[in-house]
Amino acid sequence: MQIPSGKILSTSFGGSRAFAEAFARMGEESQDGFVRTSLASRKGYSIGTLVFKGGKAILAAYKASGRETLGDYAVPLVAADSLSEDCVMEIHTYGFKSSSVSVGHLESRFSDAAVTYDIDPAEEVRGAEKAATVEAEKTRSTASADRLRDAGIDSKERELAEKKRLLED
């Protein structure tokens, strides 16, 4: 989803409160604009976008590894990226005198990216933190299984080498 850049209001780094703070800023000022997250990690580069109309998120997009996720499915991905302190978060506005951008036009143009529920930033962050914990546990258990399997393979290889040596004698 490519949208006009508008005017940058602020740029900050991610963290546990960044997502909620961005929502608060857009909501308090009833902004028309968007929040963009950018994150370069070992998984690759990702960009998340949440478009706001009157301070309410109406569109969402998330692009990573050449794939774009739109709408409701993109929101938790954007929230997850915002947790990283390496994430760059930008708040843009279309609410300035010379702006010719209509958020209503963006809404109709990108209807496939519509957000169909009221986003609770705290709930999205909790969900993202829980998913990160589950992923870390999964990685740890996979690594443990790999180590156990490697140890088992090593012992079997030693056993086979010993049998081969005995057969050759």
Side-chain angles (χ1 to χ4, degrees), residues 15-16 18-20 23 50 57 60 71-83 115-132:
S16 61
F19 194 72
F23 261 82
L50 295 170
D72 294 345
Y73 297 108
V75 176
L77 301 172
V78 176
D81 277 6
S82 77
L83 292 174
V115 174
T116 61
Y117 66 100
D118 288 333
I119 297 171
D120 177 353
E123 187 62 34
E124 294 296 337
V125 168
R126 276 192 295 277
E129 288 171 336
K130 184 177 180 180

Side-chain angles (χ1 to χ4, degrees), residues 22-58:
F23 261 82
R25 177 142 188 209
M26 295 303 282
E28 286 169 2
E29 299 173 14
S30 296
Q31 289 285 342
D32 284 353
F34 65 95
V35 172
R36 173 165 291 143
T37 60
S38 303
L39 178 64
S41 68
R42 57 181 152 68
K43 293 180 181 179
Y45 189 72
S46 58
I47 297 175
T49 307
L50 295 170
V51 177
F52 289 79
K53 181 178 183 180
K56 181 182 179 218
I58 59 165

Side-chain angles (χ1 to χ4, degrees), residues 2-136:
Q2 291 187 342
I3 57 175
S5 63
K7 178 181 174 185
I8 295 178
L9 291 177
S10 68
T11 301
S12 61
F13 289 103
S16 61
R17 298 168 66 158
F19 194 72
E21 288 170 358
F23 261 82
R25 177 142 188 209
M26 295 303 282
E28 286 169 2
E29 299 173 14
S30 296
Q31 289 285 342
D32 284 353
F34 65 95
V35 172
R36 173 165 291 143
T37 60
S38 303
L39 178 64
S41 68
R42 57 181 152 68
K43 293 180 181 179
Y45 189 72
S46 58
I47 297 175
T49 307
L50 295 170
V51 177
F52 289 79
K53 181 178 183 180
K56 181 182 179 218
I58 59 165
L59 301 173
Y62 181 82
K63 188 171 186 175
S65 303
R67 293 185 56 209
E68 189 169 44
T69 304
L70 301 172
D72 294 345
Y73 297 108
V75 176
L77 301 172
V78 176
D81 277 6
S82 77
L83 292 174
S84 172
E85 292 181 0
D86 294 328
C87 179
V88 175
M89 295 189 67
E90 299 173 345
I91 298 177
H92 295 246
T93 184
Y94 295 129
F96 54 97
K97 287 183 181 181
S98 61
S99 176
S100 61
V101 177
S102 163
V103 177
H105 175 72
L106 294 177
E107 189 174 21
S108 62
R109 169 97 164 74
F110 299 107
S111 60
D112 53 341
V115 174
T116 61
Y117 66 100
D118 288 333
I119 297 171
D120 177 353
E123 187 62 34
E124 294 296 337
V125 168
R126 276 192 295 277
E129 288 171 336
K130 184 177 180 180
T133 301
V134 167
E135 184 65 29

Side-chain angles (χ1 to χ4, degrees), residues 143-157:
S144 293
D146 288 346
R147 280 193 299 275
L148 289 173
R149 187 184 44 157
D150 289 347
I153 290 171
D154 287 344
S155 68
K156 288 293 183 187
E157 285 177 342

